[in-house]
Amino acid sequence: LHKSAAAAKAQAVDQAKAASEAEVSRVQTSLRGANEEVARLKQALAKQGEAAAGAAEDRAARQKLAADLQAARESLAAAQAKCKSLEDGMAQAKAAHEKA
């Protein structure tokens, strides 16, 4: 009787140990999955950060382009006004020359 009680106790300890090892294995597997998910989320976040930075650079580039375009328009308007003034001056000089 004493032997069978000891054997039952040893078997119970072995079963508890096996259950504990299985639980440790399950937790480790779950932890690996969680770590993989964290890595995936970090990667996705980094990509979003890069995209946001790229979008900010694009916005800045578009704003600079718009400013450059406006400056070019103003420069063109000034050049056109100067040409008009020169043309008017030439027409006046031509008319004065014809009169003389």
Side-chain angles (χ1 to χ4, degrees), residues 60-76:
R62 281 195 303 271
Q63 287 172 346
K64 181 173 180 349
L65 216 55
D68 289 350
L69 184 58
Q70 183 59 34
R73 285 182 182 137
E74 290 169 4
S75 182
L76 177 61

Side-chain angles (χ1 to χ4, degrees), residues 22-94:
E23 178 66 8
V24 166
S25 177
R26 188 190 66 72
V27 169
Q28 286 175 337
T29 300
S30 179
L31 191 59
R32 269 195 301 276
N35 284 336
E36 288 168 5
E37 180 68 6
V38 166
R40 190 187 66 72
L41 290 171
K42 280 183 180 177
Q43 195 173 22
L45 193 59
K47 283 182 183 175
Q48 284 180 341
E50 291 168 9
E57 288 174 9
D58 288 350
R59 271 195 304 281
R62 281 195 303 271
Q63 287 172 346
K64 181 173 180 349
L65 216 55
D68 289 350
L69 184 58
Q70 183 59 34
R73 285 182 182 137
E74 290 169 4
S75 182
L76 177 61
Q80 286 172 331
K82 188 169 187 174
C83 282
K84 176 80 171 105
S85 174
L86 288 171
E87 286 171 358
D88 291 349
M90 282 176 45
Q92 287 175 356
K94 188 175 178 183

